[in-house]
Amino acid sequence: SQQGEEDPQALSIQEGENATMNCSYKTSINNLQWYRQNSGRGLVHLILIRSNEREKHSGRLRVTLDTSKKSSSLLITASRAADTASYFCATDVAYNTDKLIFGTGTRLQVFP
Amino acid sequence: KAGVTQTPRYLIKTRGQQVTLSCSPISGHRSVSWYQQTPGQGLQFLFEYFSETQRNKGNFPGRFSGRQFSNSRSEMNVSTLELGDSALYLCASRWGSEQFFGPGTRLTVL
């Protein structure tokens, strides 16, 4: 079964707006990663945040991690139509770093 | 560096047949994992190989098996296919804590 839940399940915004997606997980983790998937294709790695980090940036992406609440958020600033995709969070578990457990995903639609 | 490659990209099989999927990891990566993605169950971990040894296995029946070769390439086999095996099968190679995914193999079982 999936560990993570993502919220919202779907999000529609206009180009230029910011998009925020949230992820919750259930067990202690070492790392949390965010991925993007376009139309049932492969997953593109976006960013990894370690359990001892609270915030990380990469270009237009900002990820936060709150281990006390077992939650993370992904913020995409100044969205573009090309950002239209599904976004997944994935966690390992503290005792097993080899296996990723994925959230349910957020479907983002950015309208030009 | 070239990314993770998977072959074939699309496959159509009938119930009862078996199928073999192939994955070549990023050069230098020794860990390969396999995941199944379906609309109903989402992304689920199948198994992980490192240096030709299976280190982890997900909660899938024994019809799902895999192996890894000395060059780190990996194959996944599904025997006695069922309709529910229709899915996107994704392979990932790992460097440190980051896992990088291939484009997937779309398997359709008729």
Side-chain angles (χ1 to χ4, degrees):
Chain A
S1 63
Q2 290 176 318
Q3 172 175 227
E5 293 290 330
E6 292 184 60
D7 168 58
Q9 288 189 338
L11 181 61
S12 295
I13 59 174
Q14 297 290 133
E15 264 191 332
E17 293 181 338
N18 295 341
T20 300
M21 290 158 261
N22 302 296
C23 163
S24 61
Y25 57 91
K26 296 177 184 173
T27 63
S28 296
I29 63 171
N30 296 297
N31 307 291
L32 184 146
Q33 303 181 65
W34 284 91
Y35 289 88
R36 183 184 75 229
Q37 185 178 41
N38 292 83
S39 299
R41 296 181 185 175
L43 297 167
V44 175
H45 186 269
L46 296 176
I47 196 165
L48 177 148
I49 186 165
R50 303 191 188 282
S51 60
N52 61 355
E53 297 176 309
R54 291 296 167 257
E55 187 171 312
K56 202 161 181 181
H57 297 255
S58 176
R60 295 183 297 113
L61 306 179
R62 173 178 170 254
V63 169
T64 62
L65 179 64
D66 186 335
T67 53
S68 67
K69 295 180 179 178
K70 291 187 170 58
S71 67
S72 175
S73 68
L74 170 67
L75 168 67
I76 304 174
T77 59
S79 297
R80 305 166 182 168
D83 294 328
T84 294
S86 292
Y87 291 81
F88 295 89
C89 67
T91 57
D92 58 12
V93 291
Y95 58 87
N96 184 351
T97 60
D98 298 328
K99 152 184 169 178
L100 291 180
I101 300 174
F102 282 85
T104 49
T106 292
R107 173 70 188 164
L108 173 66
Q109 177 82 49
V110 182
F111 292 98
Chain B
K1 280 187 181 178
V4 178
T5 58
Q6 291 186 248
T7 57
R9 293 292 310 280
Y10 301 91
L11 207 47
I12 300 175
K13 292 286 188 178
T14 56
R15 277 181 300 177
Q17 287 187 311
Q18 74 162 15
V19 67
T20 299
L21 312 181
S22 181
C23 170
S24 292
I26 295 169
S27 177
H29 291 195
R30 292 162 63 191
S31 168
V32 173
S33 298
W34 290 88
Y35 294 80
Q36 181 198 62
Q37 186 178 28
T38 60
Q41 298 298 316
L43 281 149
Q44 293 190 292
F45 173 80
L46 279 157
F47 27 67
E48 189 252 354
Y49 287 87
F50 181 86
S51 293
E52 303 178 63
T53 301
Q54 186 181 89
R55 293 200 301 193
N56 274 286
K57 191 175 191 304
N59 189 26
F60 279 82
R63 300 185 297 106
F64 291 81
S65 63
R67 59 178 176 168
Q68 186 180 34
F69 301 95
S70 58
N71 61 358
S72 294
R73 189 177 70 85
S74 177
E75 288 182 347
M76 188 191 111
N77 185 274
V78 188
S79 63
T80 319
L81 284 166
E82 300 176 0
L83 294 179
D85 297 332
S86 294
L88 180 67
Y89 289 88
L90 293 161
C91 163
S93 73
R94 192 169 89 130
W95 185 260
S97 300
E98 295 181 336
Q99 294 201 25
F100 302 91
F101 284 79
T105 293
R106 172 76 61 187
L107 172 64
T108 301
V109 182
L110 302 176

